[in-house]
Amino acid sequence: MRKLHLDPRDIKNLGHQESILLAEDALIDIIDGARSVCSGFKKTLPLKVDGKPCDVYVVQLSIYRGKYLEFVMGSEVKDDEPLQHHPYAAAAVAIACCELDANFLDSYALDVEWVTGKESGSISLFIAFSTVPGAYGTFSIEEFATTYVLKTNDVVDFLWGRDWSTDAENDVQRFLRESYCLVDDLEQRVIDCSQLYFEHQDRVAQLFPRTGAPGDYEPLLPSHPWPNLMPLSQNEFWLPNQRTVQAVAKMRRRVLLPSLWRPGQAIVVPARAFGEEWALENPGEYPGTIVQLAGESAEEGRTWLVQYKEGEPHPTDEVFFAEAPPAEAS
């Protein structure tokens, strides 16, 4: 994953840089390369969890008007125009973080010593969660693609270490409550979230194995012979990322699954298997028998030579195949 460098000359990026440094300091034990990693003005940190490399995407949890906390996981912006991708989707974990200064703490009568054990100073607050949408069930990480303002009562309740003073109004708020953590708990929280990401990647690899061919994955049609493999946008294997590069690229490349068809099988194909013009002039279905495999590739799919009632065997794409009725198969 690229490091998503920010312009150090832009004063708005200083908050992001401070957040990167906070996360780096808290996660130093699992950063891949440890202190050899140069923070720089970027948004990601390279981690290694259980020997597996992964990335954490960091954004600023900013203090608004001295009393509200907000963050946004939205698209990168270039030349004042949003790019059509969500960079965090190629990371394993997303973190929003900041240091709560004395003014913020005093405004809510928060006691630094009670929270941190130190007599004075600030409090580092983190919100860490997995980037895998399937981990949430009822909503996507895109929920935070626009500015999200945290519930003040939740932040205060968390910092005081007490039960929630209000009921969660929706699944998003309930999820965020589970994602809050202080610096001492961040590393374990990130490790747990990374495990969700690894499990997700393993399931994807099993269902959508790499073919090594160039190009993009294509969603499987609802009529596909494996109906449990729904189009990617309708199941947990969808990531909210329009790019076709890096980690997400392998999820949108066409997958060539094992064929259901074998030589000698009796089949029926629609007229459009021979082209739209042929289908207009010669509508109907055409029975035939599979002779042998003609060719296969991740880009073009799989074709077979099929012997029809007239002429030589003709190459036909297996996407048009249907099993011949018993009467025609005999």
Side-chain angles (χ1 to χ4, degrees):
M1 179 180 179
R2 62 190 178 91
K3 292 188 171 74
L4 300 171
H5 286 275
L6 302 171
D7 186 350
R9 297 165 296 180
D10 189 341
I11 193 172
K12 293 185 297 184
N13 292 332
L14 293 177
H16 282 287
Q17 176 64 1
E18 291 172 359
S19 298
I20 278 282
L21 292 173
L22 280 176
E24 183 181 70
D25 188 57
L27 301 174
I28 196 66
D29 291 340
I30 58 174
I31 287 181
D32 193 3
R35 287 295 182 192
S36 63
V37 175
C38 177
S39 291
F41 277 77
K42 64 178 186 289
K43 287 190 174 182
T44 63
L45 290 172
L47 305 183
K48 184 166 285 188
V49 177
D50 293 339
K52 298 179 181 179
C54 58
D55 288 301
V56 58
Y57 177 81
V58 183
V59 296
Q60 179 188 12
L61 180 61
S62 55
I63 301 175
Y64 179 63
R65 293 185 177 178
K67 57 187 301 186
Y68 301 109
L69 295 178
E70 62 182 28
F71 70 97
V72 58
M73 305 294 298
S75 300
E76 293 295 289
V77 176
K78 183 177 182 181
D79 298 329
D80 296 325
E81 292 293 333
L83 300 179
Q84 295 301 307
H85 72 269
H86 300 282
Y88 51 77
V93 186
I95 298 178
C97 57
C98 74
E99 284 191 314
L100 305 180
D101 58 28
N103 291 334
F104 179 89
L105 298 173
D106 289 344
S107 65
Y108 292 105
L110 287 164
D111 188 331
V112 174
E113 186 174 4
W114 172 268
V115 178
T116 67
K118 300 177 181 178
E119 292 184 0
S120 62
S122 60
I123 296 175
S124 298
L125 177 64
F126 300 87
I127 299 176
F129 49 92
S130 172
T131 57
V132 179
Y136 315 147
T138 58
F139 65 93
S140 165
I141 193 176
E142 284 189 305
E143 180 76 30
F144 312 120
T146 57
T147 301
Y148 192 92
V149 180
L150 300 182
K151 303 292 185 182
T152 301
N153 286 343
D154 286 356
V155 176
V156 175
D157 288 344
F158 171 76
L159 293 175
W160 273 116
R162 62 194 182 197
D163 293 336
W164 306 114
S165 57
T166 60
D167 292 332
E169 62 185 35
N170 53 38
D171 288 339
V172 177
Q173 184 181 358
R174 189 176 297 106
F175 160 75
L176 285 174
R177 287 178 173 182
E178 297 174 355
S179 303
Y180 291 124
C181 59
L182 297 178
V183 62
D184 291 341
D185 301 316
L186 180 62
E187 182 176 305
Q188 187 58 53
R189 172 71 186 167
V190 168
I191 291 173
D192 292 342
C193 290
S194 297
Q195 296 298 338
L196 289 174
Y197 179 81
F198 293 146
E199 292 171 7
H200 165 80
Q201 293 297 80
D202 289 343
R203 291 195 297 271
V204 170
Q206 291 175 7
L207 290 176
F208 306 103
R210 285 182 178 274
T211 62
D216 294 337
Y217 281 130
E218 296 176 2
L220 297 171
L221 298 175
S223 58
H224 194 278
W226 284 272
N228 59 309
L229 302 186
M230 299 168 63
L232 297 182
S233 61
Q234 296 181 24
N235 69 11
E236 67 173 310
F237 302 105
W238 178 81
L239 284 177
N241 192 329
Q242 301 304 313
R243 290 182 302 167
T244 55
V245 295
Q246 300 173 348
V248 184
K250 77 172 188 177
M251 295 195 60
R252 298 199 64 80
R253 188 174 301 154
R254 182 180 176 119
V255 179
L256 196 61
L257 294 169
S259 180
L260 290 175
W261 308 100
R262 297 290 183 271
Q265 283 185 280
I267 61 168
V268 174
V269 299
R272 59 191 177 89
F274 310 112
E276 296 298 332
E277 292 186 7
W278 175 272
L280 289 174
E281 298 176 2
N282 305 274
E285 294 184 335
Y286 294 79
T289 303
I290 299 175
V291 178
Q292 64 183 40
L293 183 67
E296 60 181 359
S297 71
E299 297 89 350
E300 302 297 331
R302 187 181 285 108
T303 58
W304 299 82
L305 287 178
V306 178
Q307 180 63 63
Y308 297 99
K309 289 184 177 180
E310 299 179 0
E312 297 294 322
H314 190 279
T316 310
D317 194 319
E318 69 173 18
V319 298
F320 296 107
F321 290 1
E323 188 174 356
E328 294 185 35
S330 60

